[in-house]
C-alpha cells in the first residue's frame, strides 16, 4: 500500500490516496463471493424487459449506457459500488485532473481532459497554465485553418489547398483517422466539409506511395504528427513525402506543418509552414482532442466542428466525476469490465459499433486500451498476481456478424461484448426493402444479437444449439455527430483510466513497445546474431 497526499479542489483539504493492488482490497474479495447471475434467465420474458428499462443510465449528448445483458444484479452492483469506493476511483480521477503525477513511470502529469475543459483547479506545470496552453494551440490551429480555407494561405502558385494528408503512427494516426472517418459523411451532409483528408502511417512504402498517387500533391498540405519527433516510421514517411514534393518541383516547407511537443527536434525546424504543440502530459493514444486531432479535423471540417467535438468530450468527462456508479457510465463500465476479467475470467472484449462511420473506432480502442492496460506490474513496478487488460478487438456490425460472430456465439471462450448503436444514420439516403429501411435492419440486428447472445436457443442438434449466457452492453445514441463522437471517445478514455486505477497499473506509459523498436534498429545496423540474424537474412535485409 502506498499513500500519496493530494490537494483537493478547495486547496484546503488534503486527501490521502492509497494505491493498492486489486487483490488486496476487501471489497474485491467480497465481490468474488457474490452469487453469479444467469443472464439467460435474467434476460428472458418479462424479467428481461424490466432489466432493459432499469439497467440504463444516461450519458452526455443523448447517449444511454444499457447494461441489462451484463452478468450483474443488485448484489453485484452493490459490491461494485463498494469496490469503487475502496479503490478511491473518484479521488484518483480528481487527483489526475488537478495535476498529480499519475504517470509515475515517466514522472508526468496526465492532462488530456484539460484539452477539452477544466474539471478542477488550474494546473500549472513548467510555469505554464496548461489549460491556457492547450486553448492557445486550438486557437492558433483555428486561425491557420480559417486562413487555408479562405485562401489567405495557399500553395506557391497562389492556389487553394484542397487536401490534407496526415503523416503519423499509433496515437498520432489511429484516433485522428477514426474521428475523421466518423465525421466525413456528417460534414458533407451538413455543409461543413472543407478538405479531404488522407493518412500515411505504415513504413511499408506502399502506404505512402498509394496515398501520394491518390492526391494532387501541388494542392495538398501535409501534417507531420509526432509527439516525440523521433518515431522512425513517421520520419521515414516524411522523407518519402518530401521527395515526392521535390520531384514535383515544389518547396516542401510550403506544404508541411508539424504537430509535436515543444521539446521535440521538430519544434524549431524551418522545414514547416507552421508548428502546433501538445506536450508530454498527453499520451499519444489520448491525443485526439489535442493539436494532434485538432489540426487535421479543423482543416477537414472547420474549427467549429472540432470545438463541438471537444464540447461533447467535456460533457462526458463531467459525468466521470460522479462518485455514484449509477450516475457515472464510465466508472460502471470499467467496474463491470474488471468483474468480467478478474472474477468471471473472460479474456477479451469485443467492441462492435453498428455504424459504418465508426469503422476505425475499434482500431483506435485497441491501442487506447491495450497500450494503456496491457501491463504485468503495478504502478510501483511490482508484479501483480492477477490478470489486467483484456484483448480488445472489433469491427462494425453487421460486417462482424458475417465474420467472427460464430466464435462469439458458439466458441468455447465467453467474450463480453460492447455494442454501440445509433437510432439514425448520417446521410439521408436509405432504401425500403421488404418493408424496412437499411437503418432499421441495422438496428434490428444489434437488438437481436444482444438477446441471441444472452438467451441462446436450445436445439436437440448440438451443432445448432446456442448456450447463451454471453454478456453484452450497448451504448445507444441518436446519431454520430461531432459532439456525440466526443462524448463516446471520452467514455472509453475514462473507462480505461478507471480500469487502470482498479488494476493499480500505470495506464499512461508504454514501455512494452520499446524492445521491438530497439531490435529493429540493430537489424538495420547489421548488429545481430542468432535467431535475429537468421530471420534478417531470410527477409533479405
Ligand atoms: O507521436 P509519436 O511520438 O511519433 O509516437 C507515435 C506512437 O508510438 C508509440 O510511442 C508506440 O511506439 C505510441 O505510444 C505513440 O502513439
Amino acid at each position: 500500500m502506498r499513500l500519496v497526499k493530494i490537494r483537493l479542489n478547495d486547496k484546503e483539504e488534503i486527501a490521502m490516496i492509497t494505491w493498492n493492488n486489486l487483490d488486496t482490497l476487501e471489497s474485491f474479495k467480497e465481490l468474488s463471493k457474490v452469487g453469479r447471475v444467469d443472464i439467460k434467465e435474467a434476460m428472458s420474458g418479462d424479467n428481461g424487459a424490466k432489466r432493459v428499462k432499469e439497467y440504463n443510465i444516461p450519458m452526455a449528448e443523448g447517449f444511454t449506457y444499457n447494461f441489462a445483458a451484463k452478468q450483474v444484479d443488485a448484489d453485484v452492483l452493490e459490491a461494485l459500488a463498494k469496490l469503487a469506493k475502496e479503490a478511491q476511483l473518484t479521488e484518483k480521477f480528481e487527483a489526475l485532473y488537478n495535476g498529480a503525477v499519475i504517470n509515475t513511470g515517466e514522472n508526468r502529469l496526465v492532462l488530456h481532459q484539460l484539452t477539452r475543459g477544466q474539471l478542477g483547479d488550474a494546473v500549472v506545470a513548467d510555469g505554464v497554465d496548461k489549460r491556457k496552453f492547450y486553448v492557445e494551440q486550438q486557437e492558433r490551429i483555428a486561425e491557420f485553418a480559417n486562413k487555408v480555407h479562405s485562401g489567405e494561405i495557399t500553395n506557391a502558385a497562389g492556389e487553394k489547398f484542397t487536401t490534407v494528408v496526415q503523416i503519423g503512427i499509433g496515437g498520432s494516426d489511429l484516433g485522428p483517422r477514426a474521428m475523421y472517418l466518423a465525421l466525413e459523411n456528417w460534414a458533407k451532409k451538413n455543409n461543413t466539409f472543407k478538405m479531404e483528408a488522407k493518412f500515411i502511417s505504415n513504413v511499408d512504402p506502399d502506404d505512402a506511395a498509394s496515398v501520394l498517387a491518390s492526391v494532387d500533391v501541388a494542392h495538398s498540405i501535409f501534417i507531420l504528427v509526432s509527439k516525440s519527433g523521433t518515431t522512425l516510421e513517421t520520419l521515414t514517411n516524411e522523407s518519402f513525402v518530401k521527395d515526392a514534393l521535390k520531384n514535383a518541383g515544389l518547396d516542401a516547407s510550403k506544404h508541411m506543418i508539424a504537430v509535436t511537443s515543444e521539446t521535440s527536434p521538430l519544434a524549431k525546424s524551418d522545414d514547416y509552414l507552421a508548428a502546433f504543440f501538445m506536450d508530454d502530459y498527453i499520451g499519444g493514444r489520448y491525443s485526439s482532442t489535442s493539436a494532434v486531432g485538432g489540426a487535421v479535423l479543423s482543416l477537414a471540417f472547420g474549427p467549429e466542428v472540432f470545438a463541438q467535438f471537444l464540447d461533447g468530450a467535456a460533457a462526458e468527462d463531467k459525468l466521470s466525476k460522479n462518485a455514484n456508479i449509477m450516475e457515472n457510465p464510465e466508472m460502471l463500465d470499467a467496474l463491470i469490465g474488471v468483474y468480467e476479467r478478474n472474477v468471471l475470467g473472460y479474456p477479451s472484449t469485443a467492441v462492435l459499433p453498428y455504424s459504418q462511420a465508426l469503422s476505425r473506432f475499434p482500431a483506435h480502442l485497441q491501442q487506447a486500451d491495450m497500450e494503456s492496460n496491457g501491463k504485468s506490474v503495478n504502478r510501483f513496478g511490482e508484479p501483480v498476481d492477477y490478470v489486467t487488460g483484456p484483448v480488445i478487438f472489433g469491427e462494425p456490425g453487421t460486417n462482424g456478424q458475417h465474420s467472427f460472430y460464430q466464435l462469439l456465439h458458439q466458441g468455447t471462450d465467453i467474450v463480453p461484448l460492447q455494442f454501440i448503436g445509433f437510432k439514425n444514420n448520417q446521410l439521408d439516403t436509405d432504401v425500403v426493402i421488404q418493408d424496412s429501411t437499411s437503418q432499421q435492419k441495422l438496428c434490428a440486428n444489434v437488438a437481436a444479437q444482444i438477446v441471441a447472445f444472452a438467451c441462446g436457443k436450445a436445439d436437440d442438434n448440438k451443432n445448432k444449439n446456442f448456450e447463451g449466457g454471453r454478456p453484452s452492453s450497448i451504448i445507444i445514441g441518436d446519431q454520430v455527430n461531432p459532439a456525440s463522437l466526443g462524448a463516446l471517445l471520452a467514455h472509453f478514455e475514462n473507462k480505461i483510466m478507471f480500469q487502470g486505477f482498479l488494476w493499480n497499473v500505470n495506464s499512461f506509459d508504454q514501455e512494452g513497445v520499446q524492445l521491438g523498436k530497439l531490435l529493429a534498429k540493430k537489424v538495420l545496423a547489421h548488429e545481430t546474431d542468432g535467431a535475429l540474424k537468421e530471420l534478417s537474412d531470410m527477409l533479405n535485409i
Side-chain angles (χ1 to χ4, degrees), residues 169-172 226-228 231 284 367 371 510 513 517:
I169 197 164
S172 296
S226 178
K227 176 171 118 173
S228 61
T231 302
Q367 185 199 13
E371 199 169 66
Q510 56 285 321
V513 299
K517 290 187 199 169

Side-chain angles (χ1 to χ4, degrees), residues 155-467:
N155 69 7
E159 295 154 346
K160 275 193 178 184
F161 290 112
T162 54
T163 307
V164 48
V165 182
Q166 173 137 330
I167 309 166
I169 197 164
S172 296
D173 166 65
L174 289 163
R177 190 196 291 251
M179 303 307 130
Y180 171 79
L181 291 174
L183 296 179
E184 190 180 11
N185 281 331
W186 179 90
K188 284 179 179 160
K189 175 76 189 33
N190 289 278
N191 298 322
T192 65
F193 189 79
K194 313 274 185 203
M195 295 169 83
E196 189 186 16
K198 302 257 177 168
F199 297 83
I200 300 174
S201 56
N202 200 331
V203 78
D204 178 343
D206 290 349
D207 190 10
S210 63
V211 170
L212 286 169
S214 73
V215 300
D216 168 9
V217 281
H219 296 93
S220 296
I221 194 158
F222 295 85
I223 317 179
L224 185 79
V225 186
S226 178
K227 176 171 118 173
S228 61
T230 59
T231 302
L232 185 66
E233 290 90 335
T234 301
L235 296 182
T236 305
N237 279 327
E238 179 188 25
S239 298
F240 206 113
V241 166
K242 279 183 172 164
D243 275 358
L245 288 166
K246 205 167 140 206
N247 293 340
L250 300 163
D251 175 353
S253 68
K254 299 278 182 291
H255 285 259
M256 291 195 113
I257 63 172
V259 176
T260 188
S261 63
E262 284 177 300
T263 49
S264 102
L266 308 176
K268 302 273 177 297
S269 166
D270 291 334
D271 289 354
Y272 309 103
L273 202 53
F276 304 104
F277 303 111
M278 32 99 80
D279 60 28
D280 282 344
Y281 306 135
I282 297 179
R285 54 196 176 274
Y286 296 99
S287 64
S288 295
T289 51
S290 75
V292 168
V296 66
L297 297 177
S298 301
L299 282 164
F301 309 133
E304 296 76 17
V305 168
F306 185 62
Q308 289 164 28
F309 170 64
L310 297 184
D311 288 348
E316 196 63 47
D317 284 343
K318 277 197 194 130
L319 290 182
S320 297
K321 290 172 77 175
N322 287 329
N324 179 349
I325 66 167
M326 301 308 282
E327 291 171 7
N328 185 332
E330 294 67 61
M331 195 185 278
L332 180 59
D333 197 0
L335 286 158
I336 294 175
V338 167
Y339 176 60
E340 289 173 333
R341 185 84 178 105
N342 297 88
V343 178
L344 304 176
Y346 303 146
S348 50
T349 296
V351 183
L352 307 164
Y354 275 62
S355 159
Q356 191 57 25
L358 297 182
S359 61
R360 290 297 286 169
F361 197 65
H364 170 57
L365 290 186
Q366 283 174 191
Q367 185 199 13
D369 200 313
M370 293 199 275
E371 199 169 66
S372 296
N373 289 334
K375 312 278 163 74
S376 316
V377 296
N378 68 13
R379 51 190 296 109
F380 307 107
E382 302 152 351
V384 292
D385 287 334
Y386 45 85
V387 293
T388 60
V391 172
I392 302 285
F393 69 101
E395 270 291 314
T398 57
N399 299 20
Q401 281 177 223
H402 295 271
S403 129
F404 51 79
Y405 275 38
Q406 166 61 40
L407 181 148
L408 302 183
H409 278 290
Q410 288 186 315
T412 46
D413 270 321
I414 290 191
V415 179
L417 313 166
Q418 189 125 43
F419 292 107
I420 304 168
F422 295 89
K423 294 171 203 167
N424 302 300
N425 52 313
Q426 289 181 316
L427 298 171
D428 276 343
T429 319
D430 201 344
V431 61
V432 178
I433 304 274
Q434 293 174 1
D435 296 333
S436 60
T437 63
S438 294
Q439 178 65 23
Q440 285 168 332
K441 289 183 180 72
L442 183 70
C443 289
N445 268 288
V446 71
Q449 288 296 333
I450 292 172
V451 174
F453 279 115
C455 302
K457 184 181 85 59
D459 197 305
D460 290 341
N461 177 348
K462 287 295 163 210
N463 196 35
K464 292 179 189 283
N465 187 60
F466 290 75
E467 282 301 322

Side-chain angles (χ1 to χ4, degrees), residues 75-95:
D75 293 340
V76 175
L77 290 172
E78 194 186 328
L80 291 177
K82 282 188 192 156
L83 177 59
K85 196 157 189 266
E86 190 182 356
Q88 296 183 299
L89 298 186
T90 303
E91 291 84 349
K92 285 172 185 166
F93 184 33
E94 197 169 2

